[in-house]
Amino acid sequence: MDLLRSVRQTTDETEFYTPLPEGYQLGRVKYVAVFGTVISGLGKGIFSSSLAKLMKDKGLAVSPIKLEGYLNLDAGTLNPYRHGEVFVLDDGMETDMDLGTYERMLDQDLTRDNFATSGQVYHSVLEKERAGDYLGRDVQMIPHVTGEVKLRLRELAMRSGAEVVFVEVGGTVGDFENAFYIEALRELRYEEGPGSVAVVALTYVLSPPALGEQKSKAAQLGIKRLMELGLQPDLIACRAEQPVTDKVRQKISVYTNVPMRRVFSMHDLPSIYLLPEQMRHAGLDSEMVQLLGLGGQVNSLADARAAAGWQEFTTRITGANKSTTIGITGKYTTLRDSYASIVKALEHAGAANDARVDIKWIDTTGVDELNVSEALAGLDGIIVPGGFGVRGTAGKIACIRHARENGLPYLGICLGFQMAVVEYARNVCRLEGADSTEITPDCEHPVVDVLPEQKEIEGLGGNMRLGGQDVTLAAGTQAAEMFGGDKTVRMRFRHRYEVDPRYVERLEQAGLIFSGRHPTQPIMQILELPADVHPFFVATQAHPCLTSRPLRPQPMFVRLVAAAVR
Ligand code: GLN
């Protein structure tokens, strides 16, 4: 077939346009495409990452990709209170929080190849158009834009060496924004040939309280929409509050040509970490292996070992013997999604300490020196997380002072690190006009200021220090000890301001220890108070929550929770 060779350029001789990466063989890599129907917010990322994890457990190399409908080139300019936290990858890419779910579930670092937006796709197409790559042809949604989408998926497969690529299409089937992604996956499925692309539809089973029973119609209609677009699902996951009844699963099966054993009840669970076990139990992993013809590549021994290790973790998550309460300060603190990684890191650290961690959100806008002990009453530890702007910072500083003076375990993250420096400068070094220039541009003692090398760069989204960096740990400090005696540790950053090196000596003379620094530059990355002065007072310019994994909890969080439990 003509189609089965790479057509990198549209010419007058052919209508085909199938740009394949160098050395790519059609039908060799497997793809799992995951779509959402009926409503958004179904947990496609959780489903897809859990299934990917089960494939990885079997010894298969996997790589996920999230296809976002929005036009932004990355998630860096998105408001976290509207869209959830901005998740920063090691290579500095600012992505949707779902990439965090994938990194945690798979215990695998991802790159910018694992994240695409409509904006990026159009950007590449327009660049190619300007470069004359389309040889005088009118550039069209099909085949050029869809061709670009397929190219990205195949490039990901080549670069990551994945045997199975998990493609999560953002939004809901029927959205305007993601229609070309759905079309691209239809084309991909045809081109790669039978048994290469499995289509998964997530749907929602309603259960109106007035009726007292589950209804499948919305789910049927949602999946029908996908079928109208030329994609017959191979597997269906039904989100629901309660386990989906056999009757409803049968109905969905009848209307969609999907056998019952591939219609899965994905009902609410006490923890998302229970989902992989639930899927395994329902046989979903073996159904996927069968669909993609991967039986010969499964390593059953590795699979059993991974399952046992995971079960040990989930037992600790759901059956902890101790409990502790950690306060997290921040604005609009009702939105847990804007601090998703911190919540997750506390979960992992709790499991490591056999403790359930209860989180209390503290809005610091009304907090001051007078009411701070009231605001922090009943807490076993506090976190001041990352943030931007002035709002609530005075309250945060009051909280940090209270924690420092009263032996309350403290972990400062990014802005929480900077505020700890300001607090120490003001109240211990007696530098009354100490502040961050982000808050008071013309303050007397700018202990936190814009990075010198960043000063020239202008424009939102382009002037932050982003991504993974090595941090050199000072021997004999808690930081060095908690990372197992390693001399350097890799952490992820997203900031614009830093500690002004001119104040470092003064702060250290007053007892603050900078235990982590940039390997060559005078950039302060971790601070701490000695263990004989405070049970746990540690802060970092990095975002340690981004690299916490269920089976490899991040040490700063583990120590914070341990100190809080004590
Ligand atoms: N606003 C501070 C800065 O830009 C902290 C950033 C953050 O907490 N992510 O440096």
Coordinates of all heavy atoms in Angstrom, one line a residue, residues 490-539:
R490 N 19.9 15.9 42.9 CA 19.3 16.6 41.8 C 17.9 17.0 42.2 O 17.1 16.2 42.7 CB 19.2 15.7 40.6 CG 18.9 16.5 39.3 CD 19.3 15.8 38.1 NE 18.9 16.6 36.9 CZ 19.7 17.5 36.4 NH1 20.9 17.8 36.9 NH2 19.3 18.2 35.3
M491 N 17.6 18.3 42.1 CA 16.3 18.8 42.5 C 15.7 19.7 41.4 O 16.4 20.1 40.5 CB 16.4 19.7 43.8 CG 17.0 18.9 45.0 SD 17.0 19.8 46.5 CE 15.4 19.4 47.1
R492 N 14.4 19.9 41.5 CA 13.7 20.7 40.4 C 13.4 22.1 40.8 O 12.9 22.3 41.9 CB 12.5 20.0 39.9 CG 12.9 18.8 39.1 CD 11.7 18.2 38.3 NE 12.0 16.8 38.0 CZ 11.2 15.9 37.6 NH1 9.9 16.3 37.5 NH2 11.5 14.7 37.4
F493 N 13.6 23.1 40.0 CA 13.4 24.5 40.3 C 12.4 25.2 39.4 O 12.2 24.8 38.3 CB 14.8 25.2 40.2 CG 15.8 24.7 41.2 CD1 16.5 23.6 41.0 CD2 15.9 25.4 42.4 CE1 17.4 23.1 42.0 CE2 16.8 25.0 43.4 CZ 17.6 23.8 43.2
R494 N 11.8 26.2 40.0 CA 11.0 27.1 39.2 C 10.9 28.4 40.0 O 10.0 28.6 40.8 CB 9.6 26.5 39.0 CG 8.7 27.4 38.2 CD 7.3 26.7 37.9 NE 6.5 27.4 36.9 CZ 5.4 28.1 37.2 NH1 4.9 28.1 38.5 NH2 4.7 28.7 36.3
H495 N 11.9 29.3 39.8 CA 11.9 30.6 40.5 C 12.6 31.6 39.7 O 13.4 31.4 38.8 CB 12.5 30.4 41.9 CG 14.0 30.1 41.9 ND1 14.9 30.9 42.5 CD2 14.7 29.0 41.3 CE1 16.1 30.3 42.3 NE2 16.0 29.2 41.6
R496 N 12.4 32.9 40.2 CA 13.0 34.0 39.6 C 13.9 34.7 40.6 O 14.9 35.3 40.2 CB 11.8 34.9 39.2 CG 12.1 36.0 38.2 CD 10.8 36.7 37.8 NE 10.1 35.9 36.9 CZ 8.8 35.6 37.0 NH1 8.1 36.0 38.0 NH2 8.2 34.9 36.1
Y497 N 13.6 34.6 41.9 CA 14.4 35.3 42.9 C 15.3 34.3 43.6 O 15.1 33.1 43.6 CB 13.4 36.0 43.9 CG 12.6 37.1 43.3 CD1 11.5 36.8 42.5 CD2 13.0 38.4 43.4 CE1 10.7 37.8 41.9 CE2 12.2 39.4 42.8 CZ 11.1 39.1 42.1 OH 10.4 40.1 41.5
E498 N 16.3 34.9 44.3 CA 17.2 34.0 45.1 C 17.8 34.8 46.2 O 17.6 36.1 46.3 CB 18.3 33.5 44.2 CG 19.2 34.7 43.6 CD 20.6 34.3 43.3 OE1 21.2 33.6 44.1 OE2 21.1 34.7 42.2
V499 N 18.5 34.1 47.1 CA 19.2 34.8 48.2 C 20.3 35.7 47.7 O 21.1 35.1 46.9 CB 19.7 33.8 49.3 CG1 20.4 34.5 50.4 CG2 18.5 33.0 49.8
D500 N 20.4 36.9 48.1 CA 21.5 37.8 47.6 C 22.7 37.3 48.3 O 22.8 37.3 49.6 CB 21.1 39.2 48.0 CG 22.2 40.2 47.4 OD1 23.4 39.8 47.2 OD2 21.8 41.3 47.0
P501 N 23.8 36.9 47.6 CA 25.0 36.3 48.2 C 25.6 37.3 49.2 O 26.3 36.8 50.1 CB 25.9 36.1 47.0 CG 25.0 36.1 45.8 CD 23.8 36.9 46.1
R502 N 25.4 38.6 49.1 CA 26.0 39.5 50.0 C 25.6 39.4 51.4 O 26.3 39.8 52.3 CB 25.8 41.0 49.5 CG 26.5 41.3 48.3 CD 26.2 42.7 47.8 NE 24.7 42.8 47.6 CZ 24.0 44.0 47.6 NH1 24.6 45.1 47.8 NH2 22.7 44.0 47.4
Y503 N 24.4 38.7 51.6 CA 23.9 38.6 53.0 C 24.2 37.2 53.6 O 23.9 37.0 54.7 CB 22.4 38.8 53.0 CG 22.0 40.3 52.8 CD1 21.7 40.8 51.5 CD2 22.1 41.2 53.9 CE1 21.4 42.1 51.3 CE2 21.7 42.5 53.7 CZ 21.4 43.0 52.4 OH 21.1 44.3 52.2
V504 N 24.8 36.3 52.8 CA 24.9 34.9 53.2 C 25.8 34.8 54.5 O 25.4 34.2 55.5 CB 25.5 34.1 52.1 CG1 26.0 32.7 52.6 CG2 24.5 33.9 51.0
E505 N 26.9 35.6 54.5 CA 27.8 35.5 55.7 C 27.1 35.9 57.0 O 27.2 35.3 58.0 CB 29.1 36.3 55.4 CG 30.3 35.7 56.0 CD 31.5 36.6 55.8 OE1 31.9 36.8 54.6 OE2 32.1 37.0 56.8
R506 N 26.4 37.0 56.8 CA 25.7 37.5 58.0 C 24.7 36.6 58.6 O 24.5 36.4 59.8 CB 25.0 38.8 57.6 CG 25.8 40.0 58.0 CD 25.1 41.3 57.6 NE 24.5 42.0 58.7 CZ 24.3 43.3 58.7 NH1 24.5 44.0 57.6 NH2 23.8 43.9 59.7
L507 N 23.9 36.0 57.6 CA 22.9 35.0 58.0 C 23.6 33.8 58.7 O 23.1 33.3 59.7 CB 22.1 34.6 56.8 CG 21.1 35.6 56.3 CD1 20.8 35.3 54.8 CD2 19.9 35.7 57.1
E508 N 24.7 33.4 58.1 CA 25.3 32.2 58.7 C 26.0 32.5 60.1 O 25.9 31.6 61.0 CB 26.4 31.7 57.7 CG 25.8 31.0 56.5 CD 26.6 30.0 55.8 OE1 27.8 30.2 55.5 OE2 26.0 28.9 55.6
Q509 N 26.5 33.7 60.2 CA 27.1 34.0 61.5 C 26.0 34.0 62.6 O 26.3 33.7 63.7 CB 27.7 35.4 61.4 CG 29.2 35.3 61.1 CD 29.8 36.6 60.6 OE1 29.2 37.6 60.7 NE2 31.0 36.5 60.1
A510 N 24.8 34.3 62.2 CA 23.7 34.4 63.1 C 23.1 33.0 63.4 O 22.1 32.8 64.1 CB 22.6 35.3 62.6
G511 N 23.6 31.9 62.7 CA 23.2 30.6 63.1 C 22.5 29.8 62.0 O 22.2 28.6 62.1
L512 N 22.1 30.5 60.9 CA 21.4 29.8 59.8 C 22.5 29.0 59.0 O 23.5 29.6 58.7 CB 20.7 30.8 58.9 CG 19.6 30.3 58.0 CD1 18.5 29.7 58.8 CD2 19.1 31.4 57.1
I513 N 22.1 27.8 58.6 CA 23.1 27.0 57.8 C 22.6 26.8 56.4 O 21.5 26.3 56.2 CB 23.3 25.6 58.5 CG1 23.9 25.8 59.9 CG2 24.3 24.8 57.6 CD1 23.9 24.5 60.7
F514 N 23.4 27.2 55.4 CA 23.1 27.0 54.0 C 23.8 25.6 53.7 O 25.0 25.6 53.4 CB 23.5 28.1 53.1 CG 22.6 29.3 53.3 CD1 23.0 30.4 53.9 CD2 21.3 29.3 52.8 CE1 22.2 31.5 54.1 CE2 20.5 30.4 52.9 CZ 20.9 31.5 53.6
S515 N 23.0 24.6 53.7 CA 23.5 23.2 53.6 C 23.5 22.7 52.2 O 24.1 21.7 51.9 CB 22.8 22.3 54.5 OG 21.4 22.4 54.4
G516 N 22.8 23.4 51.3 CA 22.8 23.0 49.9 C 23.1 24.3 49.0 O 22.4 25.3 49.2
R517 N 24.0 24.1 48.1 CA 24.3 25.3 47.2 C 24.5 24.8 45.7 O 24.6 23.6 45.5 CB 25.6 25.9 47.6 CG 25.6 26.6 48.9 CD 27.0 27.0 49.4 NE 27.0 27.4 50.8 CZ 27.4 28.5 51.3 NH1 27.9 29.4 50.5 NH2 27.3 28.8 52.6
H518 N 24.4 25.7 44.8 CA 24.7 25.5 43.4 C 26.2 25.0 43.4 O 27.0 25.5 44.1 CB 24.5 26.8 42.6 CG 24.6 26.6 41.2 ND1 25.9 26.5 40.5 CD2 23.7 26.5 40.2 CE1 25.7 26.3 39.2 NE2 24.4 26.4 39.0
P519 N 26.4 24.0 42.5 CA 27.8 23.4 42.4 C 28.9 24.5 42.2 O 30.0 24.3 42.7 CB 27.7 22.4 41.3 CG 26.3 22.1 41.1 CD 25.5 23.3 41.6
T520 N 28.6 25.5 41.4 CA 29.6 26.5 41.1 C 29.3 27.9 41.4 O 30.1 28.7 41.8 CB 30.0 26.4 39.6 OG1 28.8 26.6 38.8 CG2 30.7 25.1 39.2
Q521 N 28.0 28.3 41.4 CA 27.6 29.7 41.6 C 27.2 29.9 43.1 O 26.8 28.9 43.8 CB 26.3 30.0 40.8 CG 26.4 29.7 39.3 CD 27.3 30.6 38.6 OE1 27.2 31.8 38.9 NE2 28.1 30.1 37.6
P522 N 27.3 31.1 43.6 CA 26.8 31.4 45.0 C 25.3 31.4 45.1 O 24.8 32.4 45.5 CB 27.5 32.7 45.3 CG 27.6 33.4 44.0 CD 27.7 32.4 42.9
I523 N 24.6 30.4 44.7 CA 23.2 30.3 44.8 C 22.8 29.4 45.9 O 23.2 28.2 45.9 CB 22.5 29.9 43.4 CG1 23.0 30.8 42.3 CG2 21.0 29.9 43.6 CD1 22.4 30.4 40.9
M524 N 22.1 29.9 46.9 CA 21.7 29.1 48.1 C 20.5 28.2 47.7 O 19.5 28.7 47.2 CB 21.4 30.0 49.3 CG 22.5 30.9 49.7 SD 24.0 30.0 50.0 CE 25.1 30.8 48.8
Q525 N 20.6 26.9 48.0 CA 19.5 26.0 47.6 C 18.8 25.3 48.8 O 17.6 24.9 48.6 CB 20.0 24.9 46.7 CG 21.0 25.4 45.6 CD 20.3 26.0 44.4 OE1 19.4 26.7 44.6 NE2 20.8 25.7 43.2
I526 N 19.5 25.1 49.9 CA 18.8 24.5 51.0 C 19.3 25.2 52.3 O 20.5 25.5 52.4 CB 19.2 23.0 51.2 CG1 18.8 22.2 49.9 CG2 18.6 22.3 52.4 CD1 19.3 20.7 49.9
L527 N 18.4 25.4 53.2 CA 18.9 26.0 54.5 C 18.3 25.1 55.6 O 17.4 24.3 55.4 CB 18.4 27.4 54.7 CG 16.9 27.7 54.8 CD1 16.3 27.4 56.2 CD2 16.7 29.2 54.5
E528 N 19.0 25.2 56.8 CA 18.5 24.4 57.9 C 19.0 25.1 59.2 O 19.9 25.9 59.2 CB 19.0 23.0 57.9 CG 20.5 22.9 57.9 CD 21.0 21.4 57.7 OE1 20.8 20.9 56.5 OE2 21.5 20.8 58.6
L529 N 18.3 24.7 60.3 CA 18.8 25.1 61.6 C 19.3 23.8 62.2 O 18.8 22.7 62.0 CB 17.6 25.6 62.5 CG 17.2 27.0 62.2 CD1 16.0 27.4 63.1 CD2 18.3 28.0 62.3
P530 N 20.4 23.9 63.1 CA 21.0 22.7 63.6 C 20.0 21.9 64.5 O 19.1 22.5 65.1 CB 22.1 23.2 64.5 CG 22.3 24.6 64.2 CD 21.1 25.1 63.5
A531 N 20.2 20.6 64.5 CA 19.2 19.7 65.2 C 19.1 20.0 66.7 O 18.1 19.7 67.3 CB 19.6 18.2 64.9
D532 N 20.2 20.5 67.3 CA 20.1 20.8 68.7 C 19.4 22.2 69.0 O 19.1 22.5 70.1 CB 21.5 20.8 69.4 CG 22.5 21.8 68.6 OD1 22.1 22.2 67.5 OD2 23.6 22.0 69.2
V533 N 19.1 22.9 67.9 CA 18.4 24.2 68.1 C 16.9 24.0 67.8 O 16.0 24.6 68.4 CB 19.0 25.3 67.1 CG1 18.2 26.5 67.1 CG2 20.4 25.5 67.5
H534 N 16.6 23.1 66.8 CA 15.2 23.0 66.4 C 15.0 21.5 65.9 O 15.9 21.0 65.3 CB 14.9 24.0 65.2 CG 13.5 24.2 64.9 ND1 12.7 23.2 64.3 CD2 12.6 25.2 65.2 CE1 11.5 23.7 64.2 NE2 11.4 24.9 64.7
P535 N 13.8 20.9 66.3 CA 13.6 19.5 65.8 C 13.6 19.3 64.3 O 14.1 18.3 63.8 CB 12.3 19.2 66.4 CG 11.6 20.4 66.9 CD 12.7 21.4 67.1
F536 N 13.1 20.3 63.6 CA 13.2 20.2 62.1 C 12.8 21.5 61.5 O 11.7 21.9 61.5 CB 12.2 19.1 61.6 CG 12.4 18.9 60.1 CD1 13.4 18.1 59.6 CD2 11.5 19.5 59.1 CE1 13.6 17.9 58.2 CE2 11.7 19.3 57.8 CZ 12.7 18.5 57.3
F537 N 13.8 22.2 61.0 CA 13.6 23.5 60.3 C 14.5 23.5 59.1 O 15.7 23.7 59.1 CB 14.0 24.6 61.2 CG 13.5 26.0 60.7 CD1 12.3 26.5 61.2 CD2 14.3 26.7 59.8 CE1 11.9 27.8 60.7 CE2 13.9 27.9 59.3 CZ 12.7 28.5 59.8
V538 N 13.8 23.1 58.0 CA 14.5 22.9 56.7 C 13.7 23.6 55.6 O 12.5 23.6 55.6 CB 14.7 21.4 56.3 CG1 15.2 21.3 54.9 CG2 15.6 20.8 57.3
A539 N 14.4 24.3 54.7 CA 13.7 24.9 53.5 C 14.6 24.8 52.3 O 15.8 24.7 52.4 CB 13.4 26.4 53.8

